[in-house]
Amino acid sequence: FLSSSTETLLDDFLLTYTVFMTTDDLCQALLRQYPFTQSCTHEGHTLNHQGREDDSDVSCRKRKVLHLVSQWTALYKNWLHEDEHLKQFLKTIYRNVLDDVYEYPVLEKDLKEFQKILGMHRRHTVDEYSPHRKNKTFFHQFSVKENWLQHRGTMNETEEIFCRVYITEHSYVSVKAQVSTSAQEILKIVAEKIQYPEEELALVTVSFSGEKHELQPNDLAISKSLESSSRMFVYRKDLTDSLNPFSENEELQQRSVRILGINTWDLALELTNFDWSLFNAIHEQELIYFTFSRQGSAENTENLSLLLQRCNEVQLWVATEILLCSQLCKRVQLVKKFIKIAAHCKAQRNLNSFFAIVMGLNTASVSRLSQTWEKIPGKFKKLFTELESLTDPSLNHKAYRDAFKKMKSPKIPFMPLLLKDVTFIHEGNKTFLDNLVNFEKLHMIADTVRSLRHCRNNQFGNEVPSKEHHELKPYVHHLHVIDNQQALFELSHRIEPRV
């Protein structure tokens, strides 16, 4: 019973309300707008009978309020299930609708809708004394310090989260594992990734204060590191007494380059499937919280932060793989491989990994490898130039925007640029004008954020990489990167010294 323009305005408001009001403010405002047919009390305030309005007007206002609440909960889904203000609000307004439905039968449909909302709400509620509650508290405490990320919701033993297992002070393997994963299982993942005998390795937690503790095979590694707010390191067993890590990159340089034996389309497809799972989990509101940096926003931007972290890791992964390859001929093959993977990511409409790979190839420590680039065939150089043109920032990234607009859904945008757009609108326009909310600014922000819906109109197909590379998924899921520009430059100068 609302026009499409009103629905758009409502959507704008719900997407951006956190800019100028809290959840509690919105709950109070909605209760004030809900016309009561009998005296009732809410938090000590008596709300009197609205006798001056016709029954039709009263029922219409009630339904509008209930429609807004329904849209709000539908838009935010499980985002709001842990908010105490919302819990009380939903209970209060449900009781009011229950009282009113006899006098206003038209509310019966809304009552059923609220029963569904409350049912979903109860299913997502965690008991205050649940053992999982403690784990979640640990998790959020740790995520601020070490950028541990997960989807919103209750953390349980089967839930997967991301962590970093450090090989050296500056390099780590990104591991996606369940909370219940044992130290032995994590060690197996890392050993496979760095191609080092598992039986010669040990998993050690190192706290921020420097305290070290070797994990036993059956220890729940993630829980242990969360509880002690520590990093996980892999050490050689023969060095566990002194707990010195691997000497930086010496052994890692000698490993064979497995990526050369992997089909480029399959590898790009696995990157796309992984990115899609991260992108699909992002709530539109995360962009609002990220831009406005409201208090407590760290735990409200978890999925967005994870995709941004992934983009950075893919970029570092490209540079790491190339710079750890000491043989020139293999290094040339690697650069060609990454150019093809970038082209496949573009074809698969995954602009997140596409940008990351191109930026990785353009990293200063890689672009300075003149001997390597001189041996790249002309057709690959031409292809790379074409791919680079899409990342050209001139005219406000016009080349990228034009190409992305032509791509059909589903597609994965380059998220840093979308965040830049929202930030530009925010910083270029005042939130309040003459003490009134600037709804034109909020409309522009909401319109930009809504582009996520268009990107996710459809799901990616069920295409999966060929089975001949059984190690492809763990390879892509557990990237090994060197997260230090100085270390990368040292490697670059080691394999191709300055003439």
Side-chain angles (χ1 to χ4, degrees):
F1 58 101
L2 296 177
S3 66
S4 59
S5 59
T6 306
E7 287 286 357
T8 301
L9 184 62
L10 176 60
D11 199 52
D12 288 352
F13 169 74
L14 291 174
L15 273 174
T16 59
Y17 83 90
T18 51
V19 172
F20 53 89
M21 66 195 307
T22 65
T23 301
D24 186 39
D25 291 335
L26 180 55
C27 291
Q28 295 297 329
L30 288 171
L31 282 173
R32 285 193 295 271
Q33 289 298 315
Y34 187 87
F36 287 81
T37 55
Q38 56 186 343
S39 294
C40 63
T41 301
H42 177 69
E43 294 187 359
H45 299 285
T46 301
L47 304 170
N48 297 317
H49 172 67
Q50 302 285 330
R52 291 171 295 178
E53 294 183 272
D54 293 336
D55 282 353
S56 59
D57 293 335
V58 172
S59 63
C60 184
R61 280 185 60 195
K62 288 178 184 291
R63 293 202 67 203
K64 284 182 178 179
V65 171
L66 297 176
H67 178 72
L68 191 150
V69 175
S70 178
Q71 292 290 95
W72 184 25
T73 53
L75 178 64
Y76 284 80
K77 298 183 176 67
N78 64 327
W79 252 57
L80 295 171
H81 288 304
E82 296 168 21
D83 194 294
E84 292 297 327
H85 297 300
L86 184 75
K87 288 180 185 179
Q88 292 302 117
F89 168 72
L90 288 177
K91 290 177 184 177
T92 301
I93 204 162
Y94 175 71
R95 285 196 298 266
N96 294 335
V97 178
L98 199 59
D99 290 338
D100 291 344
V101 74
Y102 299 104
E103 187 169 348
Y104 301 98
V106 71
L107 298 180
E108 186 175 353
K109 184 178 180 181
D110 300 281
L111 180 65
K112 291 180 179 179
E113 181 67 26
F114 262 82
Q115 287 171 339
K116 291 180 183 177
I117 292 171
L118 286 170
M120 289 175 60
H121 180 79
R122 289 193 189 99
R123 285 199 299 274
H124 283 81
T125 301
V126 185
D127 181 75
E128 187 175 3
Y129 301 103
S130 165
H132 300 313
R133 185 85 178 189
K134 182 180 179 182
N135 284 342
K136 182 153 190 179
T137 303
F138 279 129
F139 178 86
H140 283 298
Q141 175 191 357
F142 199 73
S143 66
V144 175
K145 294 181 179 179
E146 275 296 295
N147 202 22
W148 288 57
L149 304 157
Q150 75 171 82
H151 303 307
R152 290 183 61 83
T154 305
M155 194 170 82
N156 55 54
E157 291 185 353
T158 60
E159 184 146 22
E160 292 185 316
I161 66 172
F162 286 80
C163 62
R164 295 172 176 179
V165 181
Y166 284 80
I167 313 300
T168 69
E169 190 66 31
H170 304 303
S171 68
Y172 64 85
V173 172
S174 181
V175 176
K176 184 180 183 183
Q178 294 181 349
V179 176
S180 59
T181 302
S182 68
Q184 186 174 10
E185 290 172 299
I186 289 183
L187 197 59
K188 182 178 181 181
I189 291 171
V190 178
E192 168 66 19
K193 187 65 189 176
I194 65 175
Q195 293 184 286
Y196 206 89
E198 182 186 343
E199 61 274 9
E200 296 182 20
L201 300 176
L203 197 62
V204 177
T205 60
V206 181
S207 68
F208 292 100
S209 63
E211 184 179 350
K212 303 174 180 70
H213 174 71
E214 182 176 347
L215 296 173
Q216 298 306 306
N218 293 327
D219 282 346
L220 300 184
I222 293 176
S223 297
K224 289 280 187 182
S225 60
L226 289 176
E227 290 169 12
S228 58
S229 295
S230 57
R231 282 183 173 185
M232 278 190 285
F233 273 83
V234 168
Y235 290 93
R236 286 202 305 245
K237 282 185 176 178
D238 60 339
L239 295 176
T240 50
D241 287 339
S242 57
L243 290 173
N244 292 319
F246 285 112
S247 57
E248 185 78 65
N249 306 316
E250 288 297 328
E251 289 87 355
L252 299 179
Q253 286 185 81
Q254 307 305 319
R255 65 196 180 93
S256 61
V257 186
R258 286 181 293 170
I259 188 175
L260 292 177
I262 300 176
N263 179 277
T264 51
W265 179 265
D266 286 348
L267 204 159
L269 189 60
E270 197 61 65
L271 285 168
T272 298
N273 290 338
F274 191 86
D275 283 2
W276 177 253
S277 68
L278 302 181
F279 174 63
N280 207 28
I282 296 173
H283 193 283
E284 295 164 6
Q285 253 287 313
E286 294 189 50
L287 278 72
I288 307 294
Y289 271 97
F290 193 93
T291 303
F292 285 83
S293 300
R294 292 182 62 87
Q295 185 179 6
S297 61
E299 64 186 49
N300 291 321
T301 59
E302 293 157 348
N303 300 308
L304 174 58
S305 297
L306 182 55
L307 186 62
L308 295 175
Q309 176 185 315
R310 176 65 174 185
C311 183
N312 183 56
E313 284 185 348
V314 169
Q315 181 180 346
L316 290 169
W317 163 64
V318 172
T320 300
E321 288 286 353
I322 293 171
L323 296 173
L324 285 179
C325 184
S326 56
Q327 297 179 39
L328 178 60
C329 60
K330 284 189 176 181
R331 202 160 58 247
V332 171
Q333 293 179 54
L334 262 180
V335 172
K336 289 165 55 181
K337 196 98 175 177
F338 279 120
I339 291 173
K340 289 175 69 175
I341 294 169
H344 292 328
C345 284
K346 175 178 173 286
Q348 293 168 12
R349 306 187 298 282
N350 176 8
L351 279 301
N352 195 65
S353 282
F354 164 76
F355 259 82
I357 294 170
V358 172
M359 290 189 298
L361 289 167
N362 275 325
T363 300
S365 54
V366 174
S367 62
R368 67 163 296 278
L369 300 175
S370 55
Q371 297 175 39
T372 304
W373 287 100
E374 284 172 4
K375 291 186 176 295
I376 302 296
K379 67 175 184 178
F380 279 92
K381 288 182 179 178
K382 181 181 177 183
L383 174 59
F384 186 56
T385 300
E386 292 173 359
L387 297 177
E388 270 188 307
S389 67
L390 282 181
T391 66
D392 182 2
S394 62
L395 300 175
N396 195 19
H397 289 272
K398 185 178 186 303
Y400 162 77
R401 294 181 191 279
D402 289 346
F404 192 70
K405 192 178 295 183
K406 293 176 183 176
M407 292 179 180
K408 65 179 182 179
S409 298
K411 52 189 177 180
I412 305 172
F414 180 50
M415 193 57 69
L417 186 56
L418 190 57
L419 285 171
K420 178 185 173 184
D421 290 344
V422 179
T423 303
F424 182 80
I425 296 170
H426 170 46
E427 294 180 350
N429 300 273
K430 293 182 178 180
T431 304
F432 296 94
L433 297 173
D434 299 325
N435 293 323
L436 295 174
V437 175
N438 181 4
F439 273 97
E440 181 57 32
K441 168 182 176 174
L442 301 187
H443 169 69
M444 289 190 291
I445 290 175
D447 209 38
T448 304
V449 170
R450 261 194 299 267
S451 64
L452 292 187
R453 296 182 199 177
H454 174 64
C455 294
R456 299 189 290 213
N457 271 347
N458 301 300
Q459 292 288 321
F460 269 108
N462 295 321
E463 185 179 358
V464 294
S466 59
K467 294 182 179 179
E468 61 180 281
H469 297 297
H470 62 279
E471 63 176 20
L472 180 56
K473 187 171 183 177
Y475 178 83
V476 169
H477 282 215
H478 310 306
L479 294 181
H480 167 234
V481 306
I482 296 174
D483 189 11
N484 181 277
Q485 292 302 319
Q486 183 60 37
L488 291 173
F489 262 107
E490 289 176 5
L491 279 173
S492 179
H493 284 280
R494 188 182 302 176
I495 58 177
E496 288 194 21
R498 185 180 297 161
V499 179

